[in-house]
């Protein structure tokens, strides 16, 4: 398929974008709840997977 | 995580990550400072990394800066903007300068002199975050959340836009909702004209 042949449904993409935004906000709420209900050691172990994979010692 | 709003102290028992250790390595060289913006949310649990840490310091004389510069060099930090002390000092009075560990530009510290009233407020009302025997000085949460909303991209109900700044603000708000000073928070919401963005917090 050539780039010219690709059909783009902007309305569909916009819906996807909005859904994605809502899901990201829902994850923030889920994560805050996780922090509140787990020990600092537990949640930071999870958080450090994200951070230490990007920032090397 | 425990926040004693009277003492302005947050006590944490978290495992330090590479970003926390980098920040500590730099801040232990400083007499006084305050961390603002993204890293505040990250230190307090947000699940993301960052390439820069914004740090405010009080205005200093050339001699004070020279001593500090020597300390930075001795501890393996390099200035991204210039290798000359005089040049760096001149720049610092105009804009932020960045420091990083030699040969590794990421992460880096965005080092900035306190200039505005918002900077001064952050510095004067800073919160101490204690993790075991280490400590970090961060901007007050009320201002931090409002300022993150201010930084966020404009968006309307029809064209919803959410970015990392909104997410940082929501993270801090949801985490400390019961503890923040609501009056102070609303003062900054009004001063920064971000009332419309409050909907992203709930």
């Amino acid at each position: 398929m050539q780039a010219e042949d690709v059909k783009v449904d902007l309305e569909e993409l916009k819906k996807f974008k909005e859904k994605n935004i809502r899901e990201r906000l829902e994850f923030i709420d889920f994560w805050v709840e996780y922090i509140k209900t787990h020990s600092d050691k537990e949640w930071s172990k999870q958080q450090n997977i994200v951070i230490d994979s990007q920032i090397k010692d | 995580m425990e926040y004693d709003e009277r003492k302005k102290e947050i006590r944490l028992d978290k495992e330090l990550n590479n970003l926390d250790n980098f920040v500590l390595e730099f801040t232990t060289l400083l007499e006084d400072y305050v961390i603002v913006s993204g890293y505040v949310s990250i230190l307090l649990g947000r699940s993301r990394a960052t390439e820069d840490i914004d740090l405010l310091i009080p205005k200093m004389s050339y001699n004070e800066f020279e001593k500090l510069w020597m300390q930075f060099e001795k501890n393996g930090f390099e200035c991204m903007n210039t290798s000359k002390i005089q040049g760096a000092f001149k720049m610092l009075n105009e804009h932020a300068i960045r420091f990083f560990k030699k040969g590794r530009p990421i992460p880096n510290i965005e080092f900035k002199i306190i200039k505005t009233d918002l900077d001064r407020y952050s510095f004067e009302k800073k919160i101490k975050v204690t993790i075991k025997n280490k400590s970090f000085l961060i901007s007050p949460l009320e201002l931090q959340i409002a300022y993150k909303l201010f930084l966020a991209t404009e968006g309307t109900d029809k064209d919803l836009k959410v970015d990392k700044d909104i997410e940082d603000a929501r993270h801090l708000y949801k985490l400390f909702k019961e503890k923040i000073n609501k009056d102070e928070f609303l003062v900054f919401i009004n001063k920064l004209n971000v009332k419309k963005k409050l909907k992203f917090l709930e």
Side-chain angles (χ1 to χ4, degrees):
Chain A
M1 186 184 254
Q2 300 301 311
E4 292 78 28
D5 301 328
V6 176
K7 285 178 189 151
V8 176
D9 185 340
L10 283 177
E11 272 311 303
E12 200 58 36
L13 278 182
K14 202 176 160 194
K15 276 184 209 159
F16 170 79
K17 189 177 87 174
E18 281 173 14
K19 191 168 163 264
N20 181 255
I21 287 167
R22 285 182 212 290
E23 282 171 3
R24 287 188 64 91
L25 290 180
E26 277 167 26
F27 176 74
I28 299 284
D29 299 351
F30 168 84
W31 180 242
V32 166
E33 200 48 37
Y34 188 93
I35 290 176
K36 285 180 173 174
T37 53
H38 291 73
S39 72
D40 291 345
K41 276 202 166 66
E42 276 176 276
W43 67 254
S44 61
K45 218 173 266 178
Q46 296 294 313
Q47 186 202 29
N48 293 356
I49 294 171
V50 176
I51 296 174
D52 290 344
S53 68
Q54 294 177 53
I55 310 285
K56 297 294 174 198
D57 189 14
Chain B
M1 190 182 309
E2 282 169 32
Y3 178 26
D4 184 332
E5 58 273 43
R6 201 180 45 83
K7 282 189 188 166
K8 293 200 151 294
E9 186 174 11
I10 297 173
R11 299 191 77 86
L12 272 173
D13 189 30
K14 74 168 205 161
E15 305 267 348
L16 294 174
N17 55 53
N18 293 338
L19 196 56
D20 299 329
N21 286 325
F22 168 77
V23 174
L24 275 174
E25 216 180 312
F26 192 85
T27 53
T28 45
L29 304 173
L30 304 172
E31 258 179 46
D32 214 351
Y33 68 92
V34 65
I35 297 167
V36 296
S37 216
Y39 178 68
V40 171
S41 317
I42 297 169
L43 181 67
L44 300 174
R46 181 93 153 82
S47 60
R48 73 172 179 93
T50 184
E51 63 195 28
D52 56 4
I53 293 94
D54 300 280
L55 199 143
L56 301 173
I57 45 141
K59 197 169 169 58
M60 59 177 83
S61 67
Y62 179 74
N63 285 347
E64 288 167 323
F65 182 70
E66 194 177 30
K67 274 184 204 157
L68 200 53
W69 180 276
M70 300 297 189
Q71 281 299 308
F72 291 157
E73 281 199 332
K74 201 175 147 194
N75 287 275
F77 286 98
E78 192 176 339
C79 180
M80 198 176 283
N81 310 70
T82 175
S83 56
K84 307 268 187 316
I85 307 181
Q86 283 182 340
F89 184 68
K90 198 173 167 244
M91 280 180 201
L92 190 57
N93 284 312
E94 290 158 15
H95 56 78
I97 56 174
R98 287 173 191 258
F99 289 93
F100 59 92
K101 286 298 267 188
K102 281 192 174 90
R104 297 163 78 171
I106 292 174
N108 58 70
I109 303 278
E110 199 178 318
F111 195 70
K112 209 173 131 193
I113 293 281
I114 293 167
K115 275 188 183 155
T116 67
D117 277 357
L118 287 179
D119 294 345
R120 265 183 287 280
Y121 187 89
S122 291
F123 186 74
E124 282 169 19
K125 306 271 182 172
K126 57 185 172 270
I127 298 173
K128 186 178 180 182
V129 178
T130 307
I131 305 172
K132 295 176 186 98
N133 58 343
K134 316 273 187 202
S135 63
F136 298 79
L137 303 173
I138 62 163
S139 170
L141 300 170
E142 293 79 5
L143 170 57
Q144 188 60 42
I145 299 168
Y147 190 67
K148 275 282 166 184
L149 288 180
F150 171 77
L151 288 180
T153 321
E154 297 292 334
T156 63
D157 280 338
K158 280 185 182 165
D159 186 17
L160 189 62
K161 283 195 180 95
V162 173
D163 56 20
K164 69 170 173 52
D165 294 311
I166 290 278
E167 292 175 355
D168 285 351
R170 188 175 175 113
H171 174 85
L172 291 176
Y173 181 77
K174 293 258 172 170
L175 200 55
F176 295 101
K177 200 173 162 178
E178 289 82 22
K179 298 271 187 170
I180 59 168
N181 180 325
K182 297 284 184 319
D183 295 335
E184 222 164 273
F185 176 57
L186 287 174
V187 167
F188 286 117
I189 290 294
N190 287 323
K191 281 188 188 287
L192 294 167
N193 194 22
V194 287
K195 215 170 173 180
K196 277 185 187 165
K197 294 180 187 172
L198 276 176
K199 61 176 183 275
F200 292 118
L201 299 182
E202 289 290 356

